[in-house]
């Protein structure tokens, strides 16, 4: 199979869909790999690295799309890429369709095979291709939150770890999944007082078992959320519904109950955000303020640490890329149930029910 690795063109996205090591494995399996010139530069991988691994370097993104049967990316295609996508072409990347009707309709129109990293699901119900980026984003959420709590960034002026004689900052984590646990781990490591909330008692018991005593668990409901937002300095949104839009756990009216300079980091922004006032931002312009509450909602947080993120992503995607390349998408999905769950749109037809429900479509828009 001919596999194409284009350069990401989303704002401040420095990750790349595959490392030179991944290219080496594909070439070893007798596949041809085209890499757009400088596609990996932001992640610390250069043209000569890919060439040494056996890739062919192409000058433009148009060439990569035109000459490849399968495109391996990191982020969803943006408007400039829509017309480059060919009918029947396999796109393997993060899509998060439920948060963008325009993207969904564009991919239906192009009649591509859209396989979404974030809905590939293993036998245990976990999302193996989303997990590493959730780990990165969860850890980064505390780094960014701590930075924007500083007064020059319009935050409360709170040091999360406190100092002797001064109480530490308080962090509220919504969701005890991968993002939430990683955020809680980082916040606890800094010495902050952490409250983590979820509707799954199984997850809360797990957190209670593995976290230190200054991480407390509480069942998530509106009453408890309204209580805690009044006293916590940093709020992390880490809620995920597989393939669906995130629920709004914090509504606009709740902002008035927060202290001025409170910081919200909504990691769920890719799925629409779990805060009503969330809107996607970029690393170039990461924050905005509503009712004196600082919102950080960068839609590609792991893109700020591209070397770590690209390595972590390729670690888990490569096995699936090889299956798709070796067998073709139909046979690969037939043999691998977890990969089949990654199918979202097939040649103009939406095959993932949560997408239809997200837009309240009664039937597929063809």
């Amino acid at each position: 199979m001919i596999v194409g690795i284009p350069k990401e063109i989303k704002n401040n996205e420095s990750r790349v869909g595959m490392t030179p090591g991944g290219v080496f494995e594909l070439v070893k399996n007798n596949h041809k790999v085209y890499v757009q010139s400088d596609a990996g530069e932001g992640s610390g991988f250069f043209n000569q690295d890919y060439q040494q691994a056996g890739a062919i370097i192409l000058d433009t993104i148009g060439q990569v799309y035109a000459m490849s049967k399968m495109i391996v990316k990191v982020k969803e295609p943006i408007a400039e890429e829509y017309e480059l996508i060919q009918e029947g072409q396999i796109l393997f990347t993060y899509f998060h369709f439920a948060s963008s009707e325009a993207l969904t309709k564009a991919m239906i129109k192009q009649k591509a095979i859209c396989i979404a990293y974030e809905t590939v699901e293993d036998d245990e119900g976990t999302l193996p291709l989303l997990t590493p980026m959730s780990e990165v984003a969860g850890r980064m959420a505390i780094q960014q939150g701590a930075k924007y709590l500083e007064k020059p960034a319009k935050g409360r002026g709170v040091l999360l770890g406190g100092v002797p004689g001064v109480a530490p900052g308080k962090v509220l984590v919504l969701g005890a999944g991968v993002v939430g646990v990683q955020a809680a781990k980082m916040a606890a490591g800094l010495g902050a007082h952490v409250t983590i909330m979820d509707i799954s008692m199984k997850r809360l018991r797990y957190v209670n078992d593995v976290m230190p005593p200054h991480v407390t668990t509480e069942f998530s409901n509106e009453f408890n959320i309204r209580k805690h937002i009044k006293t916590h300095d940093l709020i992390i949104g880490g809620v995920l519904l597989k393939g669906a839009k995130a629920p709004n756990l914090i509504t606009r009216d709740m902002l008035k109950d927060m202290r001025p300079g409170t910081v919200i980091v909504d990691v769920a922004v890719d799925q629409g955000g779990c805060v009503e006032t969330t809107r996607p931002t970029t690393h170039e312009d990461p924050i905005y303020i509503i009712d004196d509450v600082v919102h950080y909602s960068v839609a590609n947080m792991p893109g700020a640490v591209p070397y770590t993120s690209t390595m972590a992503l390729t670690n888990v995607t490569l096995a699936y890329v090889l299956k798709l390349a070796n067998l073709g998408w139909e046979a690969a999905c037939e043999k691998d149930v977890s990969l089949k769950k990654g199918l979202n749109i097939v040649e103009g037809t939406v095959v993932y029910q949560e997408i239809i429900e997200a837009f309240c479509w009664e039937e597929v828009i063809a």
Side-chain angles (χ1 to χ4, degrees):
M1 186 178 284
I2 301 173
V3 180
I5 314 295
K7 184 178 175 69
E8 299 291 329
I9 56 176
K10 190 166 186 172
N11 183 287
N12 276 276
E13 180 52 71
S14 298
R15 289 173 291 180
V16 64
M18 187 163 294
T19 62
V23 168
F24 182 86
E25 290 299 320
L26 280 168
V27 173
K28 191 172 75 174
N29 280 264
N30 299 315
H31 303 295
K32 183 178 285 186
V33 183
Y34 290 124
V35 177
Q36 185 182 348
S37 183
D38 299 330
E41 195 171 47
S43 296
F45 306 119
F46 302 97
N47 288 347
Q48 60 265 32
D49 299 324
Y50 286 106
Q51 288 173 318
Q52 288 171 5
I56 299 167
I57 304 297
L58 298 179
D59 291 331
T60 69
I61 192 170
Q63 290 174 313
V64 173
Y65 274 97
M67 297 173 68
S68 303
K69 174 63 177 174
M70 175 165 65
I71 298 293
V72 179
K73 281 173 46 63
V74 179
K75 293 300 290 180
E76 75 284 349
I78 62 175
E80 296 96 294
E81 294 172 89
Y82 292 169
E83 296 301 321
L84 300 176
I85 296 165
Q86 304 167 64
E87 183 175 342
Q89 192 170 49
I90 302 165
L91 267 69
F92 195 30
T93 188
Y94 289 116
F95 279 106
H96 299 288
F97 281 120
S99 65
S100 175
E101 190 169 0
L103 171 67
T104 306
K105 288 181 176 179
M107 294 303 101
I108 290 171
K109 179 184 175 185
Q110 297 307 118
K111 296 186 176 180
I113 312 299
C114 300
I115 307 176
Y117 291 159
E118 72 274 7
T119 64
V120 172
E121 184 179 337
D122 64 20
D123 294 339
E124 298 173 352
T126 62
L127 306 173
L129 306 190
L130 187 61
T131 295
M133 294 304 96
S134 295
E135 289 168 338
V136 172
R139 293 182 177 213
M140 277 190 68
I142 299 303
Q143 286 185 192
Q144 300 303 316
K147 178 168 69 179
Y148 288 104
L149 272 173
E150 296 173 4
K151 202 64 180 177
K154 308 299 182 184
R156 289 198 67 234
V158 171
L159 182 66
L160 280 183
V163 291
V166 181
K170 289 187 173 183
V171 178
L172 175 64
V173 180
L174 302 177
V178 176
V179 167
V181 168
Q182 295 300 319
K185 182 185 295 186
M186 290 291 282
L190 288 173
H193 175 85
V194 183
T195 302
I196 185 166
M197 306 181 75
D198 203 290
I199 58 173
S200 167
M201 287 306 301
K202 181 179 179 181
R203 292 299 300 172
L204 294 180
R205 288 189 179 100
Y206 168 77
V207 171
N208 196 67
D209 284 344
V210 301
M211 291 289 178
H214 58 292
V215 177
T216 59
T217 59
E218 192 157 342
F219 191 80
S220 181
N221 55 41
E222 184 178 340
F223 182 85
N224 287 338
I225 291 172
R226 285 184 179 273
K227 174 181 67 176
H228 285 302
I229 61 175
K230 297 176 182 178
T231 59
H232 283 67
D233 306 297
L234 172 59
I235 300 168
I236 306 296
V239 176
L240 173 71
L241 299 179
K242 295 172 186 175
K245 193 175 186 302
N248 284 154
L249 300 184
I250 294 179
T251 55
R252 172 66 188 264
D253 70 289
M254 292 184 188
L255 299 187
K256 68 180 185 301
D257 294 329
M258 301 180 192
R259 294 174 294 190
T262 297
V263 175
I264 297 173
V265 178
D266 196 348
V267 184
V269 61
D270 270 330
Q271 295 291 114
C274 60
V275 178
E276 186 179 5
T277 46
T278 287
R279 57 176 172 80
T281 61
T282 66
H283 290 295
E284 194 172 73
D285 187 17
I287 65 166
Y288 56 95
I289 298 173
I290 299 177
D291 294 343
D292 294 323
V293 174
V294 180
H295 293 62
Y296 177 100
S297 48
V298 174
N300 61 328
M301 286 177 65
V305 286
Y307 176 79
T308 298
S309 297
T310 295
M311 292 291 286
L313 183 59
T314 301
N315 284 346
V316 293
T317 58
L318 182 58
Y320 293 98
V321 171
L322 284 168
K323 284 181 185 178
L324 290 166
N326 290 338
L327 302 173
W329 74 268
E330 289 174 292
C333 290
E334 190 65 33
K335 289 190 174 185
D336 190 328
V337 177
S338 62
L339 183 59
K340 187 175 183 179
K341 290 182 178 180
L343 285 171
N344 280 209
I345 298 175
V346 176
E347 296 177 331
T349 301
V350 176
V351 296
Y352 199 80
Q353 184 63 29
E354 284 82 351
I355 298 172
I356 298 170
E357 293 172 359
F359 304 125
C360 301
W361 292 346
E362 292 185 7
E363 55 186 23
V364 173
I365 294 179

